[in-house]
Amino acid sequence: MREMRVTKSALKPILVVEDNPRDLELTLAALKKCKLSNGIIVARDGEEALRMLSLRDLETGWPTQLPAVILLELDLPKIDGLEVLERVKSNPAIRHVPIVMFTSSCEDNDIILSYELGANAFVVKPMDSEALSEAIRSLSAFWASLNQSPASCFQGLAEPFR
């Protein structure tokens, strides 16, 4: 087994995967109110999210800019949120990126399947804009600022993106 080197990296962005324009607008406004130093990256469907996560450094072959956390909607065009979750969590190069299912669904089956596929959290979007802002503030404060993730520790893993 090869040695893995842990390095302290710069503040990572937050990846928001959301196709609903209204929900995206509210989420981005709530993130802006949080005044985090993290950048925000937006993907409007599952295919775009996976494409962003598969960008690699030409010299090393390692992922270029992994997010601190992914806020992932379940109901997405092209590739749905559960498929995105499954692909990310089965990929050794990116599986340690925390994924919060941030969705309108409160179906037991969606919650159970999300956790079985490796979701780090499942949050039902509040309908009230103030409650949504508070949920975003809490999520972003924890996952983007306080949580220590091994997402930058990928030196030594063989064959990323198999």
Side-chain angles (χ1 to χ4, degrees):
M1 184 159 167
R2 299 169 78 184
E3 180 182 330
M4 292 179 67
R5 191 172 39 138
V6 177
T7 58
K8 190 81 169 168
S9 62
L11 225 43
K12 297 178 182 84
I14 297 169
L15 174 57
V16 177
V17 187
E18 176 64 67
D19 68 315
N20 181 304
R22 176 80 174 128
D23 285 354
L24 179 59
E25 179 184 334
L26 290 171
T27 299
L28 294 177
L31 285 167
K32 187 176 181 179
K33 280 174 64 174
C34 294
K35 298 183 180 173
L36 294 171
S37 298
N38 305 71
I40 308 298
I41 301 170
V42 175
R44 292 183 188 343
D45 61 56
E47 186 176 82
E48 184 179 12
L50 290 171
R51 190 171 44 251
M52 288 177 178
L53 291 167
S54 69
L55 295 176
R56 293 187 257 170
D57 182 279
L58 295 176
E59 290 182 25
T60 66
W62 291 102
T64 53
Q65 188 177 29
L66 292 177
V69 63
I70 300 169
L71 300 181
L72 181 60
E73 170 61 52
L74 275 174
D75 187 23
L76 294 169
K78 297 184 182 177
I79 299 174
D80 72 22
L82 290 173
E83 178 72 15
V84 172
L85 173 63
E86 185 173 31
R87 289 189 192 185
V88 170
K89 293 303 182 176
S90 67
N91 183 330
I94 59 177
R95 71 175 167 224
H96 296 291
V97 175
I99 298 180
V100 175
M101 303 309 288
F102 192 62
T103 183
S104 301
S105 173
C106 58
E107 296 292 322
D108 286 342
N109 288 339
D110 289 337
I111 297 168
I112 292 166
L113 190 52
S114 293
Y115 279 113
E116 286 177 353
L117 293 173
N120 298 88
F122 192 102
V123 177
V124 177
K125 292 178 197 171
M127 297 307 240
D128 173 74
S129 64
E130 192 57 41
L132 178 68
S133 287
E134 180 58 28
I136 295 286
R137 188 196 64 72
S138 298
L139 287 170
S140 57
F142 178 78
W143 290 105
S145 299
L146 299 174
N147 184 52
Q148 294 296 310
S149 171
S152 63
C153 311
F154 297 116
Q155 282 70 29
L157 286 178
E159 299 294 323
F161 300 103
R162 267 195 173 160

